Amino acid sequence: MATRVCAESELELGEAIKMMVDGVAVALVKDSAGNCFALGDMCSHADISLSDGFVEGDDLECWAHGGRFELSTGRARTLPASEPVPVYPLTIIDGDVYVDVTTQVDVSSYVP
């Protein structure tokens, strides 16, 4: 079930923020094109908060070691990260952002 986490206006272009959603740490990201994503907030390489990182194009880069994760799939794009992070369904309804941490976006059809 999706939970309201914030107003879309609270998300800034090219920025990530950390939100706790039903006990799960989530990095909410609005890329430079205005697309919004919800990813697991912990880097799969180390216990580092991804929301403290940098939005670069369609990636979220971990500030500590430079591992990059694709926003739409959570796929690790650069070492030292080699495992993906979860991507959660995000919807915007009447200007409010909702995230469902009980399921993950099916990214099996994405081509690496």
Side-chain angles (χ1 to χ4, degrees):
M1 180 167 149
T3 301
R4 182 197 179 279
V5 292
C6 66
E8 183 182 9
S9 61
E10 295 178 54
L11 301 177
E12 298 199 23
L13 289 176
E15 297 291 325
I17 62 171
K18 180 179 181 176
M19 300 292 287
M20 291 303 290
V21 183
D22 299 329
V24 177
V26 175
L28 296 178
V29 179
K30 185 182 268 189
D31 68 13
S32 60
N35 301 308
C36 297
F37 303 91
L39 292 87
D41 189 52
M42 286 296 127
C43 177
S44 62
H45 165 252
D47 243 358
I48 304 292
S49 177
L50 288 175
S51 58
D52 291 333
F54 312 99
V55 179
E56 299 284 337
D58 60 351
D59 290 342
L60 180 55
E61 181 178 324
C62 180
W63 65 270
H65 302 112
R68 293 171 71 113
F69 300 89
E70 185 175 38
L71 294 172
S72 60
T73 67
R75 178 173 63 100
R77 287 196 177 184
T78 62
L79 294 173
S82 60
E83 295 297 318
V85 294
V87 177
Y88 302 107
L90 179 148
T91 55
I92 298 172
I93 302 171
D94 296 328
D96 290 325
V97 177
Y98 292 81
V99 175
D100 182 357
V101 294
T102 64
T103 186
Q104 294 182 24
V105 173
D106 179 11
V107 297
S108 60
S109 64
Y110 287 90
V111 178

